[in-house]
Amino acid sequence: GPMSGYEDLNFPAFFNAEETLRNMGFNTINPAAIEQPVTTWEACMREDIREMMLADIVVTLSGWEQSKGAKIEVNLARVLGMEVYDYAALVNEAETA
């Protein structure tokens, strides 16, 4: 999901999604929870991608299409054959199942 330009870097949305996904039985890697020892966007992306490589799937938050970093992550996931899910659709599907 998007972070740059959002109040509190959009962390509340990330932590809310993480809690919901964990309650659904997923193990999560939350980019908002990754300790970032450096402050540049590029260095943060390197850390986020390093953690992403430990995942099996990627779940996107609303607005990800306008995020430079999220677009890179989704593209990388798809190139590597990882499944990419929309968070709202995933939760809706679980609620109606």
Side-chain angles (χ1 to χ4, degrees):
M3 290 182 170
S4 298
Y6 281 72
E7 184 176 345
D8 296 323
L9 294 174
N10 206 20
F11 280 14
F14 281 83
F15 286 109
N16 180 57
E18 179 180 38
E19 181 179 357
T20 300
L21 291 169
R22 285 189 177 190
N23 288 337
M24 292 170 62
F26 289 95
N27 293 320
T28 62
I29 299 170
N30 179 352
I34 297 172
E35 187 174 326
Q36 300 287 358
V38 289
T39 57
T40 67
W41 179 87
E42 294 83 359
C44 290
M45 282 299 299
R46 286 174 176 262
E47 290 297 317
D48 289 349
I49 290 169
R50 183 174 298 128
E51 291 294 317
M52 188 180 112
M53 292 300 95
L54 302 173
D56 297 317
I57 67 170
V58 170
V59 178
T60 61
L61 297 180
S62 177
W64 75 267
E65 302 93 336
Q66 285 76 48
S67 166
K68 177 181 170 184
K71 287 191 289 188
I72 290 168
E73 292 165 342
V74 167
N75 184 54
L76 179 59
R78 289 179 174 152
V79 167
L80 296 176
M82 299 170 73
E83 294 188 47
V84 178
Y85 295 95
D86 175 78
Y87 170 72
L90 188 64
V91 170
N92 186 46
E93 183 180 312
E95 289 175 351
T96 58

